[in-house]
């Protein structure tokens, strides 16, 4: 087994044991919870939750104990519910952040001109119709009804297929506001990519202020500056202009006070789409020789990776299909999806070379099927993380054999027309005709 993956898996397996040293941060009753070796001890509760409990809990428990292979009988679903209540939401939040840090520590991350290429975007999801959940996560409603609902702002590593950061907020707060508040935490070696929903002077100014960089797609009618640039016929142009009053007011609310004559300098880049349309990108990378303008079209096209991530999390992993109705356990469900996504990405890393060799003899490039891979990982994660570590190599070989059998082709230049659909709130889950559920 490749050493980076072995080190990564060892780190994830060790995390629950490390938590036992700080029970006051992670357990509801420190000194009382997880002090005895019951059937559902800490490690089992953690990894059972990360397998994503999508069917009835009695069936999930029966499968889980069968995969353990210890000969034990399954416990009751009441025992599972009580065991999950012992863990605070902070445990899974910190476990997610640990999975991200461990990935960058043990794997060699792909970069674009020295930058980690991240994208920021938001999405929403429904929660079970419980009043307690609405008060904790927020409400979404109309003249007829209100339902518990929340939004998430995700930072996604486009080259390494990793969910790098998460923030949750109510629908009453715009995602651009949440993004602006978090720019101060963006690592300096990250180039952040935004779509048209984040077009403003504030976002690039904040990136420059805190030392990071960004690329933002601008609507062609965003401002007179953009319109003049398009009329000029130039491929790129560096612009320096005064900050608008609204921008200075928003920056002041973030604690950044500026003089009346404050300016911002950025670079506009013209991009021609395959359809013949023209789009404009704004970037804080001003060096024209080091960062050639034709490369930014491909950089922005990679932003679609975050949309694919949302599709996997919400459709394949069934984010809105919760296993619980309490605030504590819903948080566990939510973070479990993203931990499993990152674990799946890490497990795919050693296959990259093999996949390229297979693709060389075929018409299209191939990649692991995320849906099938997740369905298989549901049982393999139990064996990889709870069975003796000496068995890990054998289980990985079996897992990889099945992944390579079920790969799917990547079709370059696929550009279907975007059709907006009415999403009915009464439908439990949306049917996607191009796959069948793996859970």
């Amino acid at each position: 087994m490749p050493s980076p993956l072995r080190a990564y898996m060892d780190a994830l397996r060790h995390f629950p044991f490390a938590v036992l040293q700080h029970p006051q941060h992670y357990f509801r009753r420190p000194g009382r919870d997880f002090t005895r070796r019951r059937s559902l001890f800490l490690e089992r509760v953690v990894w059972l939750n990360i397998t994503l409990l999508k069917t009835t809990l009695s069936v999930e428990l029966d499968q889980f104990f069968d995969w353990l292979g210890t000969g034990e009988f399954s416990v009751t679903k009441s025992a599972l519910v009580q065991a999950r209540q012992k863990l605070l939401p902070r445990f899974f939040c910190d476990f997610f952040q640990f999975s991200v840090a461990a990935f960058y520590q043990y794997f060699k991350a792909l970069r674009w001109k020295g930058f980690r290429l991240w994208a920021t975007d938001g999405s929403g999801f429904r929660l079970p119709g419980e009043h307690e959940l609405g008060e904790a996560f927020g409400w979404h409603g109309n003249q007829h009804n209100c339902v518990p609902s929340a939004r998430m702002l995700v930072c996604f590593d486009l080259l390494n297929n990793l969910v790098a950061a998460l923030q949750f907020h109510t629908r009453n707060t715009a995602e651009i506001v949440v993004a602006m508040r978090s720019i101060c935490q963006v690592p300096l070696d990250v180039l952040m990519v935004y779509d048209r929903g984040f077009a403003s002077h504030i976002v690039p100014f904040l990136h420059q202020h805190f030392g990071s960089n960004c690329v933002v797609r601008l609507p062609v009618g965003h401002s007179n500056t953009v319109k003049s640039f398009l009329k000029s016929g130039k491929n790129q142009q560096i612009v320096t202009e005064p900050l608008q009053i609204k921008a200075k007011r928003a920056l002041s609310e973030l604690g950044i006070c500026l003089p009346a004559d404050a300016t911002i300098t950025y670079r506009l880049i013209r991009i021609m789409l395959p359809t013949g349309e023209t789009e404009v990108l704004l970037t804080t990378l001003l060096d024209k020789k080091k960062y050639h303008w034709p490369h930014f079209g491909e950089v922005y096209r990679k932003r679609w990776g975050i949309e694919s991530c949302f599709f996997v999390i919400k459709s394949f992993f069934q984010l809105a299909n919760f296993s619980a109705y309490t605030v504590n356990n819903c948080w566990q469900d939510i973070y479990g999806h993203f931990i499993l996504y990152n674990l799946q990405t890490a497990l795919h890393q050693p296959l990259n070379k093999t996949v390229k060799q297979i693709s060389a003899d075929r018409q299209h490039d191939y990649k692991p099927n995320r849906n099938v891979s997740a369905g298989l990982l549901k049982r393999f994660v139990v064996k990889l993380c709870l069975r003796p570590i000496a068995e890990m190599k054998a289980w990985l070989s079996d897992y990889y054999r099945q992944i390579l059998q079920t790969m799917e082709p990547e079709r370059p230049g696929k550009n279907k027309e975007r059709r907006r659909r009415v999403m009915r709130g009464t439908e439990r889950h949306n049917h996607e005709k191009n796959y069948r559920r793996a859970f």
Side-chain angles (χ1 to χ4, degrees), residues 24-316:
Q24 69 276 14
H25 299 311
Y26 300 108
F27 300 158
R28 191 167 297 280
R29 300 176 302 172
R32 297 177 62 186
D33 293 333
F34 298 111
T35 55
R36 292 194 298 169
R37 199 71 172 175
R38 301 172 181 266
S39 295
L40 287 178
F41 49 84
L42 177 61
E43 305 95 90
R44 287 185 175 180
V45 175
V46 170
W47 290 110
L48 175 59
N49 193 79
I50 292 173
T51 62
L52 308 186
L53 308 174
K54 299 301 179 183
T55 62
T56 180
L57 294 183
S58 297
V59 174
E60 293 282 1
L61 284 165
D62 184 68
Q63 291 177 338
F64 178 77
F65 278 89
D66 182 48
W67 294 332
L68 283 176
T70 59
E72 300 173 69
F73 290 109
S74 171
V75 301
T76 64
K77 60 182 180 181
S78 175
L80 173 60
V81 171
Q82 294 177 57
R84 293 178 70 184
Q85 288 288 356
K86 297 176 183 179
L87 275 175
L88 296 176
R90 179 178 174 182
F91 174 90
F92 286 93
C93 177
D94 286 1
F95 197 7
F96 163 74
Q97 294 174 354
F98 179 81
S99 74
V100 176
F103 183 92
Y104 286 122
Q105 179 179 352
Y106 296 116
F107 293 100
K108 185 178 180 180
L110 298 176
R111 293 172 179 261
W112 180 82
K113 296 188 179 297
F115 290 106
R116 285 183 285 171
L117 197 59
W118 288 11
T120 292
D121 205 354
S123 186
F125 59 95
R126 286 269 302 271
L127 290 106
E130 300 291 329
H131 182 79
E132 179 187 16
L133 296 179
E135 294 299 306
F137 290 92
W139 298 92
H140 179 62
N142 53 23
Q143 68 272 29
H144 303 295
N145 192 20
C146 282
V147 296
S149 179
R151 288 195 64 83
M152 55 185 174
L153 189 74
V154 175
C155 291
F156 184 76
D157 190 322
L158 300 170
L159 300 181
N160 298 288
N161 293 314
L162 187 79
V163 180
L166 277 173
Q167 291 189 74
F168 297 93
H169 60 99
T170 67
R171 291 183 179 268
N172 296 327
T173 305
E175 61 187 19
I176 188 173
V177 174
V178 179
M180 290 189 300
R181 293 170 181 169
S182 62
I183 290 175
C184 60
Q185 301 172 6
V186 175
L188 302 187
D189 65 337
V190 164
L191 176 62
M192 192 71 76
V193 183
Y194 299 93
D195 67 4
R196 288 173 289 191
F198 297 86
S200 71
H201 276 166
I202 306 171
V203 170
F205 184 90
L206 286 171
H207 276 281
Q208 292 175 329
H209 181 78
F210 292 107
S212 56
N213 288 281
C214 67
V215 174
V216 187
R217 183 177 178 180
L218 302 178
V220 292
H222 176 69
S223 65
N224 290 332
T225 303
V226 174
K227 294 176 183 178
S228 298
F229 170 68
L230 288 173
K231 290 180 181 179
S232 71
K234 297 178 181 178
N235 291 320
Q236 60 180 334
Q237 180 181 342
I238 293 180
V239 177
T240 299
E241 59 184 358
L243 279 174
Q244 299 175 353
I245 295 177
K246 290 184 179 179
K248 288 190 284 189
R249 186 182 300 125
L251 290 168
S252 177
E253 293 175 358
L254 294 173
I256 302 174
C257 296
L258 300 170
D261 59 348
T263 62
I264 181 173
T265 300
Y266 55 86
R267 180 179 169 197
L268 294 178
I269 297 174
R270 178 193 302 267
I271 300 297
M272 295 299 297
L273 302 180
T275 59
E277 299 176 86
T278 302
E279 291 295 344
V280 178
L281 299 180
L282 177 156
T283 181
T284 56
L285 297 174
L286 305 181
D287 192 332
K288 296 180 180 180
K289 293 183 179 180
K290 189 175 182 179
Y291 309 107
H292 299 292
W293 69 266
H295 297 164
F296 284 89
E298 182 60 27
V299 166
Y300 187 79
R301 276 192 289 272
K302 290 185 181 297
R303 197 204 69 84
W304 191 252
I306 193 171
E307 304 292 351
S308 299
C309 172
F310 286 144
F311 179 79
V312 171
I313 294 291
K314 298 174 74 173
S315 294
F316 291 171

Side-chain angles (χ1 to χ4, degrees), residues 312-323:
V312 171
I313 294 291
K314 298 174 74 173
S315 294
F316 291 171
F317 288 11
Q318 303 170 40
L319 174 61
N321 185 4
F322 286 86
S323 67

Side-chain angles (χ1 to χ4, degrees), residues 384-438:
L384 293 173
C385 299
L386 292 173
R387 296 289 293 267
I389 200 166
E391 300 178 9
M392 187 182 294
K393 185 175 181 179
W395 292 123
L396 274 177
S397 297
D398 190 18
Y399 176 65
Y400 287 151
R401 176 186 59 81
Q402 297 183 63
I403 296 303
L404 293 175
Q405 286 180 341
T406 57
M407 292 194 300
E408 59 182 356
E410 294 184 88
R411 293 181 173 84
K414 189 176 180 181
N415 190 20
K416 294 178 65 177
E417 180 183 355
R418 186 175 185 180
R419 293 182 298 171
R420 296 190 178 276
R421 296 174 294 173
V422 177
M423 310 299 283
R424 300 294 183 187
T426 54
E427 295 176 359
R428 293 295 300 276
H429 307 290
N430 296 303
H431 172 72
E432 299 286 349
K433 60 185 177 182
N434 61 334
Y435 82 100
R436 293 294 180 266
R437 290 177 184 165

